[in-house]
Amino acid sequence: MQLFLDKLQKYNSGNFFLMAGPCAIEGRDIALSIAEKIVSLTQKYEIPYIFKGSYRKANRTKANSFTGIGDEKALKILKEVSDTFGVPVVTDIHESHEAAMAAEYVDVLQIPAFLCRQTELLEAAAKTGKAVNIKKGQFLSGASMGFAVEKIKSVNPDAPTILTDRGNSFGYSDLVVDYRNLVEMAKFEVPVVMDCTHSLQKPNQTSGITGGDPTMISTIAKAAIAVGADGLFIETHPDPKNAKSDGANMLHLDNLENLLQDLVRIRQAVR
């Protein structure tokens, strides 16, 4: 736990922190390349940084969708990113038995939105002593996430806990962001994060592949910083069209620096 805090609190810039990286770990070289680029930018703008990459994708629409390159192989790549660049790393877990395994390699265990009410999963994550990032369910209010925090704290009062909004279901194939959720979740005295890419998904497409609208990423991110989000979650890739998972709503890596510049200015103005 302390290692995570030491890694994250790298700067005293008053900036938001950033959780960013590819949706899924596709391979060693591309993961290290993406991490190197983001690390250089976050160092330049003094933004605390957590590298994000799913070691396995469990929630897929189609049976033949990409799920991963192998659990141990992907987790070792995440550990290599952390060791190489000295940054914390975060990955999703989907079942209770995964918590202890993933905790051997990463600093933050992420609870997917659809699973945020799964008591045993939350408790298993808390028992590892790692930080836990809980994504708010698309079907829940920000205020209701206090119960998820309670589940973590009841097992491990000292576990660093983060709450992340990723929009709410709107009809069958869209999401909307209600920024009141950030304000409500902040009342639980934990860092609150806006997921700027998953909140722009267009799920349940007849093609079986989730759509998205990456042109709105900057809008979601800027509004979140203005509202007072402590951190941002952004999936990014050097070639989103050919990414193996969630390419439709990822930010092109080349566009990240301009966005971070704008966000730092907004943060400074708000503060």
Side-chain angles (χ1 to χ4, degrees):
M1 180 174 64
Q2 189 58 47
L3 178 60
F4 163 74
L5 294 173
D6 290 343
K7 286 181 178 179
L8 185 57
Q9 296 171 357
K10 190 173 182 179
Y11 307 109
N12 188 27
S13 60
N15 270 333
F16 55 92
F17 65 91
L18 178 67
M19 305 172 79
C23 176
I25 297 299
E26 301 176 0
R28 175 184 179 274
D29 291 347
I30 190 168
L32 289 169
S33 176
I34 293 171
E36 182 177 26
K37 175 66 174 180
I38 303 176
V39 166
S40 69
L41 293 176
T42 52
Q43 288 178 343
K44 180 177 180 180
Y45 297 105
E46 297 188 339
I47 299 170
Y49 174 50
I50 303 170
F51 177 84
K52 184 271 167 183
S54 296
Y55 77 91
R56 175 159 50 86
K57 304 301 295 186
N59 178 21
R60 303 287 88 186
T61 302
K62 298 170 67 176
N64 63 351
S65 294
F66 174 81
T67 58
I69 60 174
D71 293 356
E72 186 177 9
K73 183 177 181 180
L75 286 167
K76 285 182 175 179
I77 291 171
L78 285 165
K79 183 68 165 58
E80 184 175 358
V81 168
S82 180
D83 292 343
T84 300
F85 300 105
V87 297
V89 294
V90 56
T91 200
D92 317 68
I93 57 172
H94 313 91
E95 297 185 57
S96 302
H97 66 83
E98 297 177 33
M101 174 185 68
E104 295 183 14
Y105 299 91
V106 305
D107 304 278
V108 188
L109 298 174
Q110 182 167 283
I111 309 300
F114 281 130
L115 302 177
C116 68
R117 286 167 50 93
Q118 297 297 104
T119 301
E120 290 186 2
L121 179 60
L122 291 167
E123 290 177 345
K127 288 176 183 177
T128 66
K130 298 293 184 173
V132 183
N133 178 35
I134 313 169
K135 287 201 170 182
K136 184 187 73 62
Q138 301 92 322
F139 43 87
L140 293 175
S141 68
S144 66
M145 291 301 291
F147 300 110
V149 175
E150 285 181 4
K151 291 176 182 179
I152 297 293
K153 298 302 184 181
S154 69
V155 173
N156 184 357
D158 297 324
T161 307
I162 303 166
L163 291 178
T164 297
D165 189 14
R166 48 100 75 233
N168 281 78
S169 296
F170 185 72
Y172 292 113
S173 302
D174 206 357
L175 297 165
V176 294
V177 176
D178 181 350
Y179 288 94
R180 293 177 298 178
N181 286 324
L182 295 176
V183 178
E184 290 294 328
M185 292 193 300
K187 293 178 181 178
F188 304 122
E189 299 182 346
V190 298
V192 295
V193 173
M194 186 71 234
D195 183 338
C196 305
T197 47
H198 287 98
S199 58
L200 292 168
Q201 284 184 333
K202 294 186 180 297
N204 305 319
Q205 301 295 304
T206 56
S207 65
I209 300 174
T210 298
D213 184 8
T215 64
M216 296 294 290
I217 292 172
S218 64
T219 300
I220 298 295
K222 291 173 184 177
I225 294 299
V227 168
D230 299 295
L232 297 176
F233 181 106
I234 298 174
E235 288 189 341
T236 182
H237 195 281
D239 186 11
K241 290 183 178 179
N242 290 305
K244 294 184 178 181
S245 178
D246 281 1
N249 56 271
M250 277 201 276
L251 180 71
H252 197 293
L253 189 58
D254 290 345
N255 296 330
L256 182 59
E257 180 166 16
N258 286 339
L259 177 58
L260 292 180
Q261 284 181 322
D262 291 343
L263 294 172
V264 168
R265 293 190 188 103
I266 294 171
R267 176 73 169 189
Q268 291 170 344
V270 170
R271 291 176 64 85

